[in-house]
Amino acid sequence: MRSRLETTVPLQHQVRFLRSALASMRDTGAVLPSGRPLAYELARFLRGRATGRPVRVLEVGAGNGAVTRVLFAHLRPGDHLDAVEVNKEYVEDLTETLAEAADGSPGTGYTIHTADIRDLAPEAPYDLIVSGLPFANFTHEETREILDFYMEHIAPRGHMSLYGYLFTRELKAVTASRASYTRQRLSQRLVDRFVRDHLVVSKRVWRNVPPAWVHHLRREVG
């Protein structure tokens, strides 16, 4: 029997992801669900945690659950995962994915949110935030508000993992309109500063389509 970690994204989920991604690249930023090597890297702090206390995890831009299923596989009884996804078509697959992952995992909870992340009102801080939002598609103001939300709701010494796709910036420099490229540059400056202020380690995941980057961050106390 395959473990939940080894379970791949069902083909029908991949097809729906592709169809929806092509229809709304602003919200998605990819044409295929994240692969297992990328998802495994994003679960780094769950895999390596020494604490036995329950943790709270927030995944923003959960898509159809490709990363979610791996995050959930590393949760323990008492932990809780909040998965945020605004695309209702993805939410159908995400709901199925989490119901399957939670089967046989008593005491491990999850909640799926279809609201804008900025409208979320968490009950308590998160120990880990995983963000797959395509910031290059957002305005400067939207990006600032989202990053402020992360800092406001991450626990002291909590971790944040941001990920995206390599060469996106270079591709948009060639293909995007001047207004779109300017918007991207302003948004990217905020993200770059945020990463620089909180970076622990950066990784490149070449075994993903497309290849991805991951920035692991930490909120220090002070």
Side-chain angles (χ1 to χ4, degrees):
M1 179 177 178
R2 291 179 299 174
S3 71
R4 287 170 293 159
L5 176 60
E6 295 172 332
T7 302
T8 56
V9 178
L11 178 60
Q12 63 270 28
H13 289 197
Q14 296 185 45
V15 171
R16 282 196 289 266
F17 186 96
L18 174 60
R19 183 177 64 239
S20 187
L22 292 175
S24 182
M25 286 300 292
R26 168 180 163 81
D27 296 325
T28 306
V31 295
L32 288 175
S34 300
R36 282 181 292 167
L38 174 57
Y40 194 69
E41 178 62 36
L42 291 166
R44 166 188 288 250
F45 296 112
L46 292 176
R47 291 188 285 113
R49 62 172 162 152
T51 178
R53 65 173 180 79
V55 299
R56 287 172 48 80
V57 178
L58 171 66
E59 183 188 5
V60 187
N64 64 354
V67 172
T68 315
R69 64 176 64 233
V70 177
L71 295 176
F72 199 91
H74 288 91
L75 297 183
R76 303 171 184 172
D79 294 345
H80 188 90
L81 169 69
D82 282 330
V84 179
E85 177 53 55
V86 297
N87 186 312
K88 293 182 179 179
E89 188 170 1
Y90 290 163
V91 168
E92 294 181 16
D93 291 342
L94 180 62
T95 300
E96 181 181 324
T97 292
L98 275 169
E100 175 189 342
D103 185 35
S105 300
T108 304
Y110 69 88
T111 305
I112 298 173
H113 304 268
T114 57
D116 186 306
I117 181 60
R118 294 167 294 177
D119 296 329
L120 209 64
E123 297 179 356
Y126 294 102
D127 301 281
L128 171 64
I129 295 176
V130 173
S131 175
L133 294 180
F135 287 111
N137 295 345
F138 295 159
T139 67
H140 178 276
E141 183 65 17
E142 289 170 335
T143 298
R144 184 189 60 77
E145 290 173 353
I146 293 168
L147 295 179
D148 285 349
F149 177 94
Y150 291 170
M151 285 303 296
E152 181 180 353
H153 295 289
I154 190 71
R157 297 191 175 88
H159 290 93
M160 294 171 279
S161 294
L162 311 184
Y163 71 98
Y165 303 101
L166 292 171
F167 314 121
T168 299
R169 192 183 315 186
E170 292 81 359
L171 179 62
K172 287 204 172 188
V174 176
T175 62
S177 66
R178 183 177 182 85
S180 178
Y181 182 63
T182 299
R183 183 192 67 231
Q184 174 194 337
R185 286 186 61 190
L186 292 174
S187 177
Q188 190 61 50
R189 285 175 185 172
L190 280 179
V191 176
D192 289 346
R193 186 181 308 121
F194 188 78
V195 169
R196 185 171 61 249
D197 290 346
H198 306 288
L199 183 65
V200 175
V201 64
S202 291
K203 294 289 185 179
R204 291 188 175 188
V205 182
W206 295 105
R207 292 173 57 204
N208 194 72
V209 181
W213 53 261
V214 179
H215 297 311
H216 294 299
L217 317 176
R218 180 172 177 169
R219 179 191 171 187
E220 300 295 346
V221 178

